[in-house]
Amino acid sequence: MTAILFTAIPKDHVDAIRLGEPDSNGQVPERMIASADLPCRACLGLIKGGESALLISYRPFRHLQPYAETGPIFIHAEDCGSYDSAQVPPPMLNSSDYIVRGYDAGDRIVYGTGAVTPTAEIVSRAQHLLERPDIAYVHVRSARNNCFQCRIDRA
C-alpha cells in the first residue's frame, strides 16, 4: 500500500501572507475573528471560535492554467506551526465527506478520479489513486463548496 503525507500550504507562502503580501487574487488578506471553528490550511488544525484568522484567496498550483482553481481559505492570523502527524488525517478534516481527486505532474485534473469520499475513507482512496503512475498528487476539497483543504503526496 502506498504511504501518504497530508501536506499543508507552503509555510513560506503563509509567512508572506501574514506579513501583508497579497493573496492569489492580489488582495490584502482579510483579518477577522472566527465566529465558529474554521479549518486552517497552514497547520491543518482548527481555528477556534474567537481566535484571529485571515481569509485569503489561494491557488494551490505553480502556474496559471485552466485547471488552476482559486478559492477562499482560512489560516490562523498568527504563526500556528505546522502539521506534524503527516501520515494521519489532520484534525481540520472534520466534515462527513470530501471531494478527493487526482492531478497529474502538469497540475491537470486526471478525469475520472474525483469522488465524494467519506472522511474515514480518505486515506484508502488517496493510497489507491497514488498507486497510479499518471497521478502525481491528490487534493482534498470541500464536498459542499469545492474549497481546497489540503494536498496528499506520496511519502
Side-chain angles (χ1 to χ4, degrees), residues 53-77:
L54 296 177
L55 172 59
I56 65 171
S57 180
Y58 181 65
R59 184 180 58 249
F61 301 95
R62 294 180 300 259
H63 307 288
L64 286 176
Q65 42 93 359
Y67 291 98
E69 299 161 294
T70 302
I73 64 167
F74 299 99
I75 60 173
H76 280 99

Side-chain angles (χ1 to χ4, degrees), residues 95-115:
S95 184
S96 60
D97 52 17
Y98 291 88
I99 296 170
V100 177
R101 74 173 166 239
Y103 291 79
D104 67 19
D107 296 327
R108 305 288 174 134
I109 293 170
V110 178
Y111 281 98
T113 63

